[in-house]
Amino acid sequence: MCGIVALVGSREASPVLLEGLKRLEYRGYDSAGLATVTTDTDTQKGFITCKKAEGKLFNLVDLISVEGAPGHIGIGHTRWATHGKPELRNAHPHVDSLGKVAVVQNGIIENHTLLRESLQNKGIKFCSETDTEVIPHLISEELSRLTQDGAIPNGEMLFLAVKEVLNLLQGSYALAVIWAETPDVLIVAKNKAPLLIGFAQGEFLCASDSSAFAGFTRTVLPLEDKELALLTPLGVEIYDSLGERQHRTPSLIINSEKDIEKGQFRHFMLKEIYEQPETADQWISRYLPDGLSASSPIALSFEDSFYESIESIQILACGTSRHAAMVGAYLLEQFAGIPATVFFASEFRYAPPPLAPNVLTIGVTQSGETADTLAALIMESERRSNLKDNLFSSRQLGITNRIESSIARQVSNIIDIGAGLEVGVAATKTFFGQLLTFYGLAIMFAAKKNKRSLKEINELCSQLRLVPNQLRDLIKIHNRLTEKLAHQFVNTKDVIFLGRGINYPIALEAALKLKEISYIHAEGFPAGEMKHGPIALLDYKVPVISIATQGIVFEKVLSNAQEAKARDACLIGIAPESPETQIFDHLLPIPKVSEWISPLLTVIPLQLLSYHIAAHRGLDVDQPRNLAKSVTVE
Ligand code: F6R
């Protein structure tokens, strides 16, 4: 949440910063701003130009195109509001009272209230409600103290001032600082929020993630927690919190982001729904190619001992990733016979289960940056290492779509879902990639632990191979059907989704998709739970969308749907065409497939229906209000 960029070099900074912000806008779009330093040719004094605009980045782009922001050094920010409303006065950068120190920050300064109070007691006036604003004021205070101390070069003084102030901050931050007195010095620092430095010839770009480096450089160095760096056009110096110089070699990022266009599609979300057959094709050619041995049916490079030693699995994730994890847990338990539990990462951090031996902890995060998931993984690893017992040692696996992200640096075993960059804030193809990854893991655990016969494993693998073409057909049919059906949701205020077994998480995911892009209240329930309370919500105004696939709970789900129909609810079925499914007022048909495979198909009409309802309402499908694609605060 919130994206920051910072440049020091010899060309005009603002176009590079705006380009970086464009690529980081998915992290928040409540406001955007940038600040530069340049030297006045008459007075030879440095000054800061700070420009901010409420709302999306294009407002800032327009402002800069008219008013400019001169300078070869600058910092930029795209905001997702945490402290203070999404208004201009809360937009970053924030400056000190003299207008000489400017700061952008991502993260949360947890002790900002105390720091603010003590600054206010000294007469400092605040212009915003943000936690960030304490930082430029504190740096300014420290600079004036150091100035009195005597002859320290300005660049070093800024570095020392920031270093001192970092000691006062509690919480998470990635920040960048400029000072009017140093038109060629940039200071950046991070703790529990991502920050990477990109190296080019005589210029350096810092950013919250590697996507901002596209077209600038592929040579990148991530900062570690509590490190700070001093950047000038001559080079980069990195220090730890004790002031010890750190020496690390930058590495080449593999996935230099290409410009992604919407092409023929009205929204990225629709394009990404259409890309799911390709996601499946690529996953199959990478993880399920022909010719693998019966004992290792999926191309994952873990040793046999990895699977054999694990007795249970706990999965930590948030939002859509948690729904994929729930399908995963179902597969791991029911197909591979290994106990698996899913936790909200944010809950796990503060109420973990008692430690058990031989547990694999899986973190699932498409962005690889979700603060709660990363922190829960760290907490789990720490409490296990405290035990100093091999049986309880921490074994972790990360599932992500961003192999350059924080989770990939934090966890040694990583599975790349390889879905390609997802621009739409509502996750679709990355969810699909996560599902496929869990199929792969369940197959491997079943094979390595001899929980399923060769025939059963081969059968599931063969069914997975059919999925890409099934998806192509489904998307074509359902894009048309759901677009038509969406017209009936013009006045809808509440929707209920029902599913059971392996499709219960799909009901949850469908409800989440609808909520986040159409702002319609929606809930997903296990179909059998309806009669225990939620059924009271039903009347003719509340559509009930029921996932009824062939398998052990097919008839049960149909009975639950009948109960809803008896309460006048309009009934929509995600189900195969058959005499039994004629009970539905509208049928979004899916082919008769094995229950194991069904979530890969049932999710498609539900994604499309949410999309068309939101698009029909004229909403901003790709950047829904209040959301961000990467949730880097707790
Ligand atoms: C919903 C959505 C969010 C994310 C959640 C976790 O469409 O995208 O619910 O799933 O914020 O994000 P990641 O997967 O990046 O950890």
Side-chain angles (χ1 to χ4, degrees), residues 159-160 163-164 166-167 225-228 238-246:
F159 176 82
L160 290 174
K163 182 166 163 282
E164 210 48 45
L166 293 181
N167 290 331
D225 280 348
K226 302 244 163 110
E227 282 184 340
L228 74 164
I238 299 174
Y239 296 86
D240 68 9
S241 59
L242 302 173
E244 290 293 318
R245 181 90 184 259
Q246 304 295 300

Side-chain angles (χ1 to χ4, degrees), residues 487-629:
H487 289 79
Q488 303 205 5
F489 285 72
V490 174
N491 298 314
T492 301
K493 300 227 167 356
D494 306 279
V495 178
I496 289 195
F497 291 89
L498 301 180
R500 280 184 93 141
I502 197 167
N503 276 294
Y504 165 51
I506 301 298
L508 294 179
E509 173 59 7
L512 178 59
K513 283 289 90 87
L514 187 62
K515 275 186 270 210
E516 63 186 336
I517 59 170
S518 73
Y519 319 142
I520 294 175
H521 172 242
E523 298 292 335
F525 295 108
E529 269 299 296
M530 272 303 279
K531 55 188 171 296
H532 299 291
I535 200 162
L537 295 170
L538 295 188
D539 65 21
Y540 70 97
K541 287 185 280 195
V542 182
V544 172
I545 303 180
S546 181
I547 307 167
T549 52
Q550 301 286 318
I552 48 170
V553 287
F554 183 55
E555 283 80 17
K556 307 274 176 220
V557 179
L558 292 178
S559 311
N560 301 139
Q562 288 279 18
E563 290 153 16
K565 195 170 177 155
R567 271 82 189 171
D568 292 334
C570 166
L571 214 54
I572 298 165
I574 313 293
E577 278 175 311
S578 73
E580 299 99 309
T581 58
Q582 284 175 10
I583 60 158
F584 292 109
D585 300 309
H586 302 278
L587 182 70
L588 295 172
I590 52 153
K592 287 185 182 161
V593 291
S594 94
E595 197 168 23
W596 296 124
I597 290 292
S598 61
L600 295 169
L601 305 186
T602 54
V603 70
I604 300 295
L606 293 165
Q607 290 173 339
L608 283 164
L609 183 61
S610 293
Y611 167 76
H612 282 298
I613 291 172
H616 186 60
R617 292 182 170 214
L619 296 171
D620 190 345
V621 172
D622 288 331
Q623 293 187 328
R625 70 184 181 204
N626 305 339
L627 297 182
K629 184 115 192 110

Side-chain angles (χ1 to χ4, degrees), residues 277-288:
E278 203 182 313
T279 306
D281 270 335
Q282 282 176 6
W283 186 87
I284 288 165
S285 59
R286 185 164 174 188
Y287 294 110
L288 189 56

Side-chain angles (χ1 to χ4, degrees), residues 105 107-111 169-173 191-193 226:
Q105 184 228 344
I108 291 179
I109 306 303
E110 287 165 0
N111 58 337
L169 305 182
Q170 287 165 14
S172 59
Y173 55 78
N191 185 39
K192 299 186 205 149
K226 302 244 163 110

Side-chain angles (χ1 to χ4, degrees), residues 187-203:
I187 308 288
V188 297
K190 84 143 224 150
N191 185 39
K192 299 186 205 149
L195 192 65
L196 299 94
I197 303 175
F199 292 68
Q201 202 59 43
E203 55 181 2

Side-chain angles (χ1 to χ4, degrees), residues 338-372:
I338 179 157
T341 315
V342 180
F343 294 88
F344 290 102
S346 54
E347 292 295 316
F348 184 92
R349 286 180 73 173
Y350 301 103
L355 287 169
N358 298 321
V359 174
L360 173 67
T361 305
I362 304 182
V364 191
T365 162
Q366 61 79 21
S367 65
E369 300 292 353
T370 296
D372 283 316

